[in-house]
Amino acid sequence: MPTVAAYAAPSATDPLIRTTIERRETGPRDVLIAIRYAGICHSDIHTVRGDWGPVTYPQVVGHEIAGEVVEVGSEVAGFAVGDRVGVGCMVNSCRECENCRAGMENYCLKGNTQTYASVDRDGTITQGGYSTHVVVDQDFVLRIPEALPYESVAPLLCAGITTYSPLAHWKVGPGSKVAVVGMGGLGHLAVKIAAAMGAEVTVLSQTLAKQEDGLRFGASRYFATSDDATFRTLANTFDLILNTVSAPLKLDSYLRMLRLDGTMVNVGAPPEPLPLRVFTLFGNRRTFAGSSIGSIGETQEMLEFCAAHGIVPETELIGVDGVNEAYERVLRSDVRYRFVIDIETLKD
Ligand code: NAP
Ligand code: ZN
Ligand code: ZN
């Protein structure tokens, strides 16, 4: 089995460190990818710190992967050595359940195999993209359009699809009034994508510190949630509120900003249960919903959409030894707007 360099969490509390991991041999349906760039998603931090439950250590995270094909199995069709490809949050699914058959592997009823911290078919724990190489089944490999810059495309593979999928599902378009709560990795892409879909976009951020950026990304309005007046001013306003916040929010205050038949979609994933008064849902026949990443088909569609509309993540490129500090900055909401690891630095 090939041994490759990686950057792993040794425990829930220790800093991540350089190490090596084993990858499987490239099987007949597999693609071996040399990883060039890996985005840092807040989910990586939730996972390594055990926020969502116990984890087997050492654990390599990273599910926003951009790289190039260096080897293909004998049955692989459609990918060739040298192709620029991406991998997101999933590397397999059961392929048999109702949802998989409907092309929605992200909702696989048996639980899809996630790119990291998931039990793989051979019983091993999957290891993510903070490493030099990964072996992935061809059906879970994405094509990166030429128009998207290599060093900043990776965040589309999670942050991009996680926001594109609900915006598309709830049919956001010209005339839609959309609010994006939290302007971090997911949030800044939600603003760009919703604006490109033709919506009128409002950002709800903790402060006005990033207002100029929000307007530049395509929002027409920007409000601070630290100001109670925001919630009064915007009562009964939005068709869709996309909540990307990684911490618990007072849901009722946000739900009251939905107009008739409006929906609040939660993609932020705090571990705690969130209370909500059902009476808030009765008013304006409101809906509270969730959404999990997106299917492989939808991810490819999102990449083409971003290429066509010139949507590129705002990134800060770091060396692998900067990951621990980047984690601290993400936790302080001090990210503009996604850290991307230059995997070349793992070879030093
Ligand atoms: P991020 O870059 O840290 O962005 C989260 C933003 O939320 C921050 O930039 C901040 O925005 C706001 N925020 C943070 N703490 C807050 C608090 N205590 N109160 C109010 N606002 C706060 O994180 P991300 O990578 O975008 O991920 C966001 C969440 O989505 C995470 O929980 C992640 O696990 C989850 N996620 C879910 C899916 C899915 O499939 N559903 C996929 C990917 C990620 P402002 O500075 O603008 O206030
Ligand atoms: Zn993610
Ligand atoms: Zn399935």
Side-chain angles (χ1 to χ4, degrees):
M1 286 214 289
T3 301
V4 305
Y7 206 65
S11 79
T13 48
D14 289 309
L16 279 66
I17 50 167
R18 286 170 183 260
T19 185
T20 56
I21 54 170
E22 304 287 314
R23 294 295 192 189
R24 68 169 180 262
E25 298 291 344
T26 309
R29 298 179 48 79
D30 284 336
V31 176
L32 171 64
I33 300 165
I35 301 175
R36 291 288 304 279
Y37 301 100
I40 295 181
C41 177
H42 204 120
S43 302
D44 301 352
I45 306 175
H46 287 305
T47 300
V48 299
R49 305 216 163 169
D51 289 354
W52 292 335
V55 172
T56 306
Y57 298 99
Q59 179 66 58
V60 178
V61 290
H63 58 204
E64 294 181 337
I65 298 170
E68 65 193 54
V69 176
V70 287
E71 189 187 347
V72 293
S74 55
E75 293 171 24
V76 169
F79 293 104
V81 172
D83 286 356
R84 239 170 41 148
V85 293
V87 179
C89 303
M90 298 177 283
V91 287
N92 218 332
S93 73
C94 87
R95 301 163 192 249
E96 289 166 355
C97 74
E98 189 182 356
N99 293 352
C100 280
R101 278 189 279 116
M104 286 184 284
E105 317 82 4
N106 49 320
Y107 297 113
C108 174
L109 295 172
K110 294 185 184 154
N112 52 58
T113 308
Q114 305 206 331
T115 305
Y116 59 73
S118 205
V119 180
D120 211 344
R121 277 177 301 189
D122 59 6
T124 60
I125 301 291
T126 54
Q127 303 288 342
Y130 301 2
S131 68
T132 55
H133 297 78
V134 65
V135 182
V136 180
D137 185 288
Q138 61 177 341
D139 295 338
F140 288 78
V141 178
L142 285 310
R143 261 162 250 287
I144 297 179
E146 276 300 311
L148 294 171
Y150 210 1
E151 67 285 358
S152 45
V153 68
L156 293 179
L157 279 311
C158 174
I161 184 58
T162 301
T163 52
Y164 176 90
S165 178
L167 292 168
H169 178 76
W170 272 277
K171 302 195 168 26
V172 162
S176 311
K177 288 176 187 273
V178 172
V180 175
V181 190
M183 203 173 72
L186 267 59
H188 92 286
L189 285 169
V191 172
K192 290 188 179 204
I193 294 168
M197 288 174 169
E200 182 191 301
V201 184
T202 301
V203 177
L204 301 172
S205 183
Q206 293 167 93
T207 68
L208 296 179
K210 297 178 278 192
Q211 180 168 20
E212 223 170 90
D213 289 346
L215 300 180
R216 182 162 51 85
F217 300 157
S220 50
R221 298 195 293 172
Y222 200 104
F223 288 86
T225 53
S226 52
D227 182 355
D228 286 342
T230 293
F231 295 90
R232 289 192 295 276
T233 309
L234 297 174
N236 309 312
T237 299
F238 300 109
D239 298 298
L240 191 83
I241 299 177
L242 189 59
N243 176 20
T244 74
V245 173
S246 46
L249 291 183
K250 287 184 184 155
L251 292 182
D252 294 291
S253 316
Y254 289 84
L255 287 163
R256 285 189 202 105
M257 292 190 277
L258 291 173
R259 72 203 290 196
L260 186 65
D261 288 331
T263 301
M264 174 161 169
V265 185
N266 218 89
V267 291
E272 305 87 348
L274 304 188
L276 111 82
R277 291 181 72 242
V278 291
F279 289 96
T280 316
L281 296 175
F282 296 172
N284 275 344
R285 194 164 52 190
R286 297 172 173 120
T287 302
F288 182 57
S291 184
S292 180
I293 51 172
S295 69
I296 293 297
E298 213 174 13
T299 306
Q300 192 64 55
E301 176 188 300
M302 175 277 308
L303 289 167
E304 309 296 341
F305 179 90
C306 290
H309 289 85
I311 295 172
V312 176
E314 307 284 322
T315 57
E316 185 173 333
L317 195 62
I318 59 169
V320 75
D321 296 312
V323 167
N324 291 299
E325 191 196 332
Y327 274 22
E328 294 308 320
R329 284 184 53 196
V330 171
L331 290 167
R332 291 198 302 269
S333 300
D334 176 23
V335 51
R336 301 282 191 284
Y337 284 86
R338 199 58 139 185
F339 289 105
V340 172
I341 308 165
D342 181 352
I343 295 296
E344 283 296 311
T345 61
L346 195 47
K347 297 176 187 160
D348 295 347

